[in-house]
């Protein structure tokens, strides 16, 4: 028995050691590009490609130059364009998807299951399949004529189809006992009051999750933003602006600034995620259980 116990412990030790070593290697591989981006953002040597990875000099000028630009490549303007679009899209998308999820979870009406199935099927198709149709619709309504209207059109695109992603939040709403709603109805509350004063406060984790995912989409999107904004550089979002820095005529001068810009735009997302991590985990786990 003692030999069997020692043999079992030895095998467990070898197995655990192998797993930890493997995870350490995978973690290093995953973190390596992040370190490369951060190191390059501080690189003092100009130009794009270098035969070495570790910079031979370090400077903060790459970050300073980003906010000193006043021409077509205006990083500060791109940052605030993206921030405005992301915040507006985030709020509208969260409102739409919460309303759709509440209706499908709590109300019963004709064609309900058919509509849910249609929404589920449509949600399986990637959004960029419709980008040319969306482009010509927006062009027909005149949203692509002026720069500010292009940003409005971008918000409409990001928030318009958000209701199709109702399924996860519906799963969370299903976990809230319906007896709470019935008690509120007996006290004279309307469906809107139940939704606003009962369901929403009880669904804080999934709401935070929805806000976070709705904010990240516009923050990193390139395809739809490029199609709608076209060549109007002063209204670019951050994703298009950074990609512009890598174009042939700009890459030699803006290469290190590009990496500095990548580091800066990752900070808001990382900060928001760290603040809302607790609610994010609760929202996802609650939705899965539902």
């Amino acid at each position: 028995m003692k030999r069997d116990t020692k043999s079992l412990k030895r095998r467990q030790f070898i197995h655990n050691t192998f797993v930890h070593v493997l995870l350490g290697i995978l973690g290093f591989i995953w973190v390596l590009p992040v370190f490369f981006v951060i190191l390059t953002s501080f690189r003092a040597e100009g130009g794009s490609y270098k035969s070495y990875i570790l910079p031979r000099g370090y400077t903060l000028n790459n970050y300073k130059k980003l906010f000193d630009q006043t021409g077509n490549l205006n990083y500060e303007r791109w940052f605030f364009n993206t921030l405005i679009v992301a915040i507006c899209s985030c709020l509208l998308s969260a409102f739409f998807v919460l309303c759709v999820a509440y209706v499908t979870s709590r109300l019963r009406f004709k064609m309900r299951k058919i509509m849910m199935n249609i929404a589920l099927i449509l949600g399986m198709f990637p959004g960029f399949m419709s980008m040319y149709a969306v482009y010509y619709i927006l062009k027909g309504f005149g949203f692509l004529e002026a720069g500010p209207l292009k940003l409005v059109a971008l918000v409409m695109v990001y928030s318009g189809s958000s209701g199709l992603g109702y399924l996860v939040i519906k799963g969370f709403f299903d976990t809230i006992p319906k007896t709470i709603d019935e008690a509120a109805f007996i006290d004279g509350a309307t469906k809107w009051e139940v939704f606003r004063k009962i369901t929403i406060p009880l669904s804080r984790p999934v709401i935070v999750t929805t806000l976070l995912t709705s904010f990240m989409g516009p923050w990193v999107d390139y395809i739809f933003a490029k199609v709608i904004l076209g060549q109007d550089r002063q209204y670019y979002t951050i994703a298009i602006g950074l990609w512009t820095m890598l174009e042939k005529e700009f890459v030699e001068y803006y290469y290190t600034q590009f990496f500095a810009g990548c580091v800066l735009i990752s900070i808001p997302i990382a900060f928001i995620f760290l603040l809302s991590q607790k609610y994010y985990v609760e929202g996802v786990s609650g939705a899965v259980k539902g």
Side-chain angles (χ1 to χ4, degrees):
M1 288 293 294
K2 291 183 178 179
R3 290 183 178 179
D4 293 340
T5 303
K6 289 182 179 179
S7 177
L8 180 60
K9 289 182 177 180
R10 187 179 303 164
R11 286 198 298 268
Q12 289 178 345
F13 175 77
I14 294 173
H15 176 267
N16 292 336
T17 303
F18 174 76
V19 170
H20 282 84
V21 170
L22 179 61
L23 290 177
I25 294 173
L26 293 176
F28 176 77
I29 295 173
W30 182 82
V31 173
L32 189 59
V34 179
F35 279 121
F36 175 77
V37 171
I38 295 174
L39 289 174
T40 308
S41 70
F42 291 104
R43 196 179 76 187
E45 308 93 271
S48 56
Y49 174 75
K50 300 295 180 184
S51 58
Y52 49 88
I53 296 178
L54 294 177
R56 296 177 180 176
Y58 296 89
T59 181
L60 292 174
N61 287 335
N62 297 324
Y63 290 89
K64 184 176 180 295
K65 289 178 181 178
L66 281 176
F67 296 96
D68 289 340
Q69 299 164 8
T70 56
N72 287 330
L73 301 186
N74 193 327
Y75 181 87
E76 185 176 359
R77 187 180 182 92
W78 297 340
F79 188 92
F80 284 107
N81 287 344
T82 311
L83 187 63
I84 293 171
V85 170
I87 291 175
C88 294
S89 302
C90 169
L91 296 177
L92 284 175
S93 298
F95 176 75
F96 290 156
V97 73
L98 288 172
C99 289
V100 174
Y102 179 79
V103 168
T104 53
S105 174
R106 286 298 195 259
L107 305 184
R108 296 296 181 268
F109 49 90
K110 291 183 179 180
M111 304 287 290
R112 172 178 169 272
K113 289 188 176 180
I114 296 177
M115 292 177 64
M116 290 172 60
N117 290 333
I118 292 174
L120 182 63
I121 294 172
L122 290 176
M124 294 180 180
F125 292 94
F128 61 81
M129 290 181 63
S130 62
M131 62 182 178
Y132 285 111
V134 171
Y135 172 81
Y136 284 110
I137 291 173
L138 293 173
K139 186 176 181 180
F141 282 99
F143 281 98
L144 305 184
E145 300 300 326
L149 288 179
K150 291 181 180 181
L151 296 179
V152 175
L154 205 55
V155 173
M156 293 170 59
V157 169
Y158 289 140
S159 58
S161 61
S162 58
L164 295 177
Y166 74 96
L167 197 59
V168 173
I169 304 175
K170 175 187 176 298
F172 191 94
F173 285 168
D174 289 341
T175 63
I176 301 175
K178 293 183 179 180
T179 53
I180 300 177
D181 298 5
E182 294 170 355
F185 292 145
I186 292 174
D187 291 337
T190 62
K191 289 183 173 63
W192 171 248
E193 289 174 335
V194 171
F195 173 69
R196 184 168 57 90
K197 296 181 179 180
I198 298 177
T199 306
I200 295 299
L202 291 174
S203 307
R204 186 179 300 173
V206 77
I207 292 174
V208 172
T209 304
T210 305
L211 291 172
L212 181 61
T213 54
S214 300
F215 183 86
M216 288 178 62
W219 192 261
V220 300
D221 178 62
Y222 175 85
I223 298 177
F224 268 110
K226 181 61 177 176
V227 171
I228 293 174
L229 298 177
Q231 300 298 324
D232 202 348
R233 286 180 180 166
Q234 64 174 328
Y235 293 103
Y236 273 1
T237 58
I238 204 71
I240 311 174
L242 288 176
W243 181 257
T244 304
M245 290 182 176
L246 296 181
E247 292 181 355
K248 187 176 181 180
E249 62 268 33
F250 302 119
V251 65
E252 287 298 320
Y253 180 77
Y254 288 100
Y255 185 75
T256 52
Q257 295 179 43
F258 164 81
F259 285 96
C262 292
V263 173
L264 289 179
I265 66 169
S266 66
I267 293 175
I269 294 294
F271 183 72
I272 293 172
F273 183 80
L274 289 175
L275 289 179
S276 60
Q277 185 177 11
K278 175 184 175 183
Y279 297 108
Y280 181 80
V281 174
E282 290 179 2
V284 173
S285 60
V288 171
K289 287 191 291 185

